[in-house]
């Protein structure tokens, strides 16, 4: 092989490799959000503001445009304080839009001695890491779809942030063009279905999971919701957009029958499988690349409750 051919192959392989988000990046983002210094990211605290600013910086690093005004920080009021959602847009070749979301707030701290920080590594630093990872994945790519990335605040207090951002007048045209919203909620662990797999809440309400599986890259698998009795579809931020009749589901890996870290002090980095999360982010990005705005049109069944 000539030196010139070798250099060309090296350049191509480097380019392909650079399209993926690294485990180091995933670890850095999640570890920052779930650090003791963030003090559990409870809405209304200075640390919650710090988390919002950190996410905004990551959106800037990934060359997203602002959703509203001249900042990724989208303010709303909570108990007399100004708090923030974070929103960024990547414009594609069409107005058809895919939305990626996750909430970044958690439940703060406790006065108990010893470990007193509810780090929220799985809930939901992992979900925010997923959407930042996807923004990173598409940073240098030209997409057929436009993309909206939203980090919601106040989910733990009744979905305050998603309810606020859903009603912003300047964003209504974007919402009208959303083909699907993917809300990531607790994706730090390997699911009961094994690695490289998630489940979709409310799978009986649309064909979104089937369409994703038809286009899945590297054997990524979206499974049916195994916890239907818990009605998780109606318990996370996706439901705010369901009420706008947007196809919106949450995607998770957490085993709700066995998870001992949910809203507990041990929801820290020790529960995170960084290899699996990195794999899921990259394979989800590759899957999204295969979707065509002309043919990707998930629909709701008649079983969904829009109220």
């Amino acid at each position: 092989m000539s030196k010139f051919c070798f250099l060309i192959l090296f350049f191509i392989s480097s380019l392909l490799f650079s399209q993926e988000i690294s485990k180091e990046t995933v670890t850095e983002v999640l570890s920052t959000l779930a650090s003791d210094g963030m003090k559990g990211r409870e809405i209304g605290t200075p640390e919650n503001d710090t988390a919002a600013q950190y996410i905004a910086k990551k959106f800037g690093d990934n060359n997203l445009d602002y959703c509203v005004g001249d900042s990724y920080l989208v303010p709303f009021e909570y108990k007399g304080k100004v708090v923030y959602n974070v929103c960024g847009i990547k414009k594609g070749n069409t107005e058809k839009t895919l939305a990626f979301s996750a909430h970044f707030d958690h439940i703060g701290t406790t006065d108990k001695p010893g470990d007193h920080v509810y780090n929220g590594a799985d809930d939901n630093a992992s979900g925010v890491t997923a959407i930042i990872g996807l923004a990173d994945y598409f940073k240098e790519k030209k997409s057929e779809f436009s993309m909206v990335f939203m980090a919601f605040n106040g989910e733990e207090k009744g979905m305050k942030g998603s309810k606020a951002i859903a009603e912003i007048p300047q964003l209504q045209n974007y919402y009208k063009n959303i083909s699907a919203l993917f809300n990531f909620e607790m994706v730090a662990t390997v699911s009961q279905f094994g690695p490289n797999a998630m489940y979709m809440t409310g799978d009986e309400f649309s064909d979104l999971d089937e369409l994703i599986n038809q286009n899945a890259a590297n054997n990524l698998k979206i499974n049916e919701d195994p916890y239907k009795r818990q009605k998780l579809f109606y318990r996370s931020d996706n439901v705010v957009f369901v009420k706008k009749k947007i196809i919106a589901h949450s995607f998770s890996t957490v085993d709700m029958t066995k998870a001992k870290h949910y809203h507990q002090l041990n929801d820290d980095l020790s529960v995170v499988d960084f290899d699996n999360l990195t794999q899921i982010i990259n394979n989800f990005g590759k899957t999204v690349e295969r979707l065509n705005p002309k043919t990707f049109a998930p629909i709701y069944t008649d079983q969904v409750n829009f109220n």
Side-chain angles (χ1 to χ4, degrees), residues 166-184:
E167 299 308 317
I168 292 178
Q170 302 96 307
L171 293 177
Q172 298 311 307
N173 283 336
Y174 283 105
Y175 296 152
K176 290 176 183 177
N177 286 312
I178 291 178
S179 298
L181 181 148
F182 303 91
N183 185 59
F184 293 92

Side-chain angles (χ1 to χ4, degrees), residues 97-116:
T97 301
L98 299 177
F100 307 96
S101 67
H103 75 89
F104 69 89
D105 66 303
H106 195 51
I107 59 175
T109 60
T110 177
D111 293 331
K112 295 179 181 179
D115 183 7
H116 64 282

Side-chain angles (χ1 to χ4, degrees), residues 99-304:
F100 307 96
S101 67
H103 75 89
F104 69 89
D105 66 303
H106 195 51
I107 59 175
T109 60
T110 177
D111 293 331
K112 295 179 181 179
D115 183 7
H116 64 282
V117 177
Y118 292 96
N119 301 90
D122 195 6
D123 185 15
N124 190 32
S126 65
V128 179
T129 300
I131 67 168
I132 290 174
L134 288 168
D136 190 335
Y137 182 89
F138 285 101
K139 178 179 180 178
E140 304 296 339
K141 295 174 180 289
K142 189 63 177 177
S143 171
E144 291 300 311
F145 281 100
S146 294
M147 298 181 182
V148 177
F149 298 85
M150 294 183 285
F152 303 129
N153 204 347
E155 190 268 356
E156 301 286 1
K157 303 297 184 181
M159 308 175 205
K160 301 296 185 183
S162 53
K163 289 176 181 176
I165 202 169
E167 299 308 317
I168 292 178
Q170 302 96 307
L171 293 177
Q172 298 311 307
N173 283 336
Y174 283 105
Y175 296 152
K176 290 176 183 177
N177 286 312
I178 291 178
S179 298
L181 181 148
F182 303 91
N183 185 59
F184 293 92
E185 179 75 74
M186 300 182 72
V187 289
T189 58
V190 175
S191 78
Q192 69 177 76
F193 304 102
N196 198 30
M198 295 183 287
Y199 61 87
M200 186 179 89
T201 65
D203 62 276
E204 68 271 30
F205 298 138
S206 87
D207 60 349
L208 179 59
D209 55 338
E210 297 169 20
L211 296 178
I212 294 300
N213 284 331
Q214 288 171 13
N215 293 277
N218 298 333
N219 298 313
L220 176 72
K221 181 66 183 297
I222 307 301
N223 293 276
E224 294 182 359
D225 181 356
Y227 316 110
K228 288 183 171 61
R229 291 184 179 180
Q230 298 193 37
K231 298 184 178 180
L232 300 176
F233 178 76
Y234 296 106
R235 290 171 53 188
S236 192
D237 291 299
N238 64 289
V239 74
V240 173
F241 294 86
V242 172
K243 292 178 179 179
K244 299 175 79 69
K245 298 190 176 179
I246 294 169
I247 299 289
H249 293 261
S250 291
F251 294 78
S252 184
T253 63
V254 66
D255 187 335
M256 294 299 292
T257 65
K258 296 180 179 179
K260 298 186 183 299
H261 61 276
Y262 177 62
H263 283 191
Q264 300 300 315
L265 290 167
N266 65 336
D267 184 3
D268 54 29
L269 297 183
S270 65
V271 307
V272 182
D273 189 312
F274 287 102
D275 289 313
N276 188 60
L277 180 55
T278 303
Q279 180 183 39
I280 284 175
I281 294 169
N282 284 312
N283 288 341
F284 200 87
K286 290 180 175 69
T287 299
V288 168
E289 283 186 278
R290 295 179 175 182
L291 304 181
N292 187 326
K294 294 180 181 179
T295 58
F296 180 71
I299 58 173
Y300 277 124
T301 68
D302 59 5
Q303 297 181 54
V304 67

